Amino acid sequence: MRSRLLLVILVLVGLLAVGLGLPLALTASERSQEEVFTDRLTDTISFASAAQRPVIDPPERTGATTAFAAEITRYDEVYDVAVAVFDRSGELLVASRPTHLLPDLAGDPAGRIDVALAGRRSATYPLLMPWNAAPIVLAEPVLVDGEVVGAAVTVSPTDALRAQELRSWSLVAGAALAALLAGTLVALPLTEWILRPVRRLDEAMSRVGGAVVAGRSPGPPMQRTGPPELRLLAGSFDRMTATVQDTLAAQGDFVADASHQLRNPLTALRLRLSNLVGRVDPGATDEHLAAMEEAERLSGVLDGLLALARAEQAVVAGPGGTVTVIDDVLDDRVENWLPLAEHNGVELRRSGPRGLRARIGPAGLEGVLDAAIDNALKYTPADRRIRVATLRTAAWIGVSVVDGGPGMSAEDRARATDRFWRAPGQTNVEGSGLGLAIAARTAAAAGGSLSLDPAPGGGLRVTLWLRPADQ
C-alpha cells in the first residue's frame, strides 16, 4: 500500500512538473524565436528598401549597387546571415557570399521567395524545435513606385537559437527532476504519516478478529495519529472494540449464569427420572430410558458450557504465573483413562522426556488432556493405539495426544475448535462439540496454543504448546 500511494504521489508531482514545465519551455522557445524573427525581419525589410537600385539597374553595377553589395557582405561576415536579392523572374542579382556558398533555397518549405515576388510580406515563422536544423528564411518584396521588381532574402542559421532553446529545455527538465526529487523526499514521510494509522488499524482488526474467535480481550485502544479522517476512524474502531468486548463479557456471563440456573432444575429432573425406575409402564420403558439419556446429555452440555465460560474468563484475564510439573498431571490422567481404553480394546501409551515444567494451572492441563484423550477414544477403533507424549523445543513445551482414528481434513481441523462444531458424518458420536473449544481457550489463557495436525500413518495429533517455567 505504501509503494502504491508513493507511486501515485510521484506520478501527480511528475504530471504537475510536466504540465507546468512544458508550456514554460515552449513559451521560452517562442519568445526567443520571436526576437530572432523580428530582428531578421527588420533587417530583411531594410535590405529590400536598399535593393531598389541593384534590381533596377544591375548590369551597370553603379556605385549604389557596389555599396549595397559591400554592406550585405559585411553584414554576413558579422552575423553569419546570408543576404541575396532576386529579380522579378527569380534570377539572383547580388549576394553576400559566392553563389556556391549560399544555402540551398530550393527546398524553402513555405515558398517565401515566391510569396515576396507576389508582393506579400513574410508571415510569422513556425516554432523551430531544438532538433530542427533548418535555417530561418525570410523574403521581402522590393518595391519601386508600388510595383514589385524583386525580392530581398535573408537566410539565418539556427544553431545559436537552438542551443539557447536546448539550454531552456534542459533548465526546465532539471527543475522538473528537482521537483520530482523534492516530491519524493516530501512523499516518503507523508505516506508514512498517512499509512501508519492504516497499518495500525489493519493490525488491530486482525487482533480483534483473533480475539473474537479465541474469546480474548480485543486489546488496548488505537493511537489516534495521522490525518483527521483517520483519527475519527480510529475513534470509531475503538468504540466498536469496546462494544465487542462488552458483548463478549455479556455472552460469557450469560453462559455461566444460564448454566448455573439450569443445573438445579436439571438435577431435580434427573432425580425424578431415576425415581421412576421400575415404576414405569412396560410399554413406556424405552421412552423413559431415552429421557434419562437426554437428561444426561444435557447435563454434559451444561458442564461443558460452564467449563467454556471459565476458560474464556481466564483468557480475558490473561496468562498467569502458575507453574505445573507436567509428569504429575500426565501420569494421573493416563492412569484414570486407562481402564476405559482397555475396555475399548485400545492401547494407551505415554512417552517423551520427563521432568518438564510449564506455565499452566494443574486444573487447566487436566482439562485439556481429558478433552484430547476423550476425543481420541471416541474415534480410535479397537486394537489401535493412542499415544500421549511430551515434547521440548527451544521455546516451547508440548503435550500431544495422537489417536488411531481416520483423521481430519484441513478444513475440518480449522473448525474443530469452534463451539458446538461436529465433524461431518460424526454426528452420531457421543459429545457436545465443546471439548476442543474449551481446550483451545484454556491453552490461550496459559499463554500457549492448541494445534491440530495430521499424524504420521493416519489419525489426528492434538498438541498443547506451553511456555516453559524458566521463561
Side-chain angles (χ1 to χ4, degrees), residues 337 365-379 386 388 399-403 435-436 439 450 460-464:
W337 284 97
L365 181 57
E366 289 177 3
V368 174
L369 285 173
D370 287 343
I373 296 175
D374 178 53
N375 191 71
L377 285 172
K378 290 175 183 177
Y379 297 102
I386 296 176
V388 182
V399 180
S400 67
V401 177
V402 182
D403 62 41
L436 291 179
L450 190 76
L460 178 69
R461 180 194 300 273
V462 180
T463 307
L464 170 65

Side-chain angles (χ1 to χ4, degrees), residues 41-380:
L41 181 61
T42 301
D43 293 343
T44 306
I45 293 174
S46 176
F47 291 138
S49 176
Q52 294 178 1
R53 177 62 63 181
V55 173
I56 294 173
D57 192 19
E60 285 74 8
R61 302 298 270 174
T62 64
T65 302
T66 304
F68 177 77
E71 179 183 355
I72 62 176
T73 300
R74 287 194 301 272
Y75 180 86
D76 191 355
E77 292 174 351
V78 173
Y79 297 105
D80 192 27
V81 176
V83 181
V85 177
F86 298 85
D87 63 13
R88 186 173 181 81
S89 63
E91 182 182 352
L92 178 64
L93 299 179
V94 61
S96 62
R97 61 183 69 172
T99 305
H100 67 279
L101 297 179
L102 284 175
D104 183 14
L105 300 178
D108 177 20
R112 292 176 179 270
I113 297 177
D114 296 335
V115 170
L117 292 175
R120 295 195 298 272
R121 311 295 296 270
S122 291
T124 303
Y125 222 86
L127 180 63
L128 295 175
M129 293 293 107
W131 53 85
N132 188 352
I136 296 178
V137 179
L138 297 179
E140 287 293 317
V142 178
L143 302 175
V144 175
D145 296 331
E147 181 183 356
V148 178
V149 296
V153 180
T154 59
V155 184
S156 305
T158 57
D159 296 343
L161 177 62
R162 290 186 291 111
Q164 182 179 353
E165 290 183 356
L166 188 60
R167 286 193 296 272
S168 300
W169 284 54
S170 300
L171 182 62
V172 171
L177 290 176
L180 193 60
L181 178 60
T184 303
L185 297 177
V186 173
L188 287 174
L190 180 62
T191 54
E192 181 66 24
W193 178 67
I194 293 175
L195 294 181
R196 185 183 298 114
V198 176
R199 287 197 301 269
R200 289 174 179 168
L201 181 61
D202 181 67
E203 294 170 357
M205 292 188 69
S206 301
R207 184 180 69 245
V208 171
V212 171
V213 174
R216 299 192 304 270
S217 170
M222 288 190 58
Q223 297 181 4
R224 302 188 185 183
T225 59
E229 294 79 4
L230 292 180
R231 291 199 294 268
L232 290 176
L233 183 60
S236 300
F237 182 82
D238 288 339
R239 289 190 293 273
M240 182 204 70
T241 301
T243 301
V244 171
Q245 190 171 9
D246 294 341
T247 302
L248 289 175
Q251 179 186 12
D253 293 341
F254 171 77
V255 171
D257 294 342
S259 300
H260 280 294
Q261 294 297 326
L262 290 174
R263 179 174 295 279
N264 290 336
L266 180 60
T267 301
L269 177 61
R270 293 172 61 192
L271 288 175
R272 290 177 183 274
L273 290 174
S274 298
N275 291 336
L276 290 176
V277 174
R279 301 180 183 181
V280 178
D281 186 89
T285 301
D286 292 342
E287 295 294 331
H288 177 247
L289 292 176
M292 292 186 65
E293 290 176 358
E294 289 298 321
E296 289 292 337
R297 191 179 72 84
L298 183 56
S299 178
V301 170
L302 287 178
D303 290 340
L305 287 173
L306 282 172
L308 180 62
R310 287 193 294 269
E312 290 183 340
Q313 290 174 356
V315 170
V316 173
T322 305
V323 174
T324 299
V325 178
I326 301 295
D327 294 336
D328 296 343
V329 178
L330 196 59
D331 293 340
D332 177 71
R333 300 326 297 160
V334 169
E335 183 179 352
N336 276 273
W337 284 97
L338 188 59
L340 180 58
E342 293 176 348
H343 174 75
N344 293 343
V346 175
E347 180 183 357
L348 182 61
R349 175 178 297 182
R350 186 243 195 265
S351 62
R354 291 182 171 271
L356 302 179
R357 299 167 71 246
R359 293 189 176 278
I360 190 174
L365 181 57
E366 289 177 3
V368 174
L369 285 173
D370 287 343
I373 296 175
D374 178 53
N375 191 71
L377 285 172
K378 290 175 183 177
Y379 297 102
T380 301

Side-chain angles (χ1 to χ4, degrees), residues 366-427:
E366 289 177 3
V368 174
L369 285 173
D370 287 343
I373 296 175
D374 178 53
N375 191 71
L377 285 172
K378 290 175 183 177
Y379 297 102
T380 301
D383 299 328
R384 299 296 295 272
R385 177 189 300 169
I386 296 176
R387 292 166 292 177
V388 182
T390 52
L391 310 168
R392 179 63 196 262
T393 67
W396 297 95
I397 288 177
V399 180
S400 67
V401 177
V402 182
D403 62 41
M408 284 185 175
S409 65
E411 294 78 7
D412 290 346
R413 292 197 303 273
R415 297 196 56 194
T417 56
D418 293 348
R419 303 177 183 91
F420 299 106
W421 183 83
R422 305 294 299 278
Q426 303 293 338
T427 53

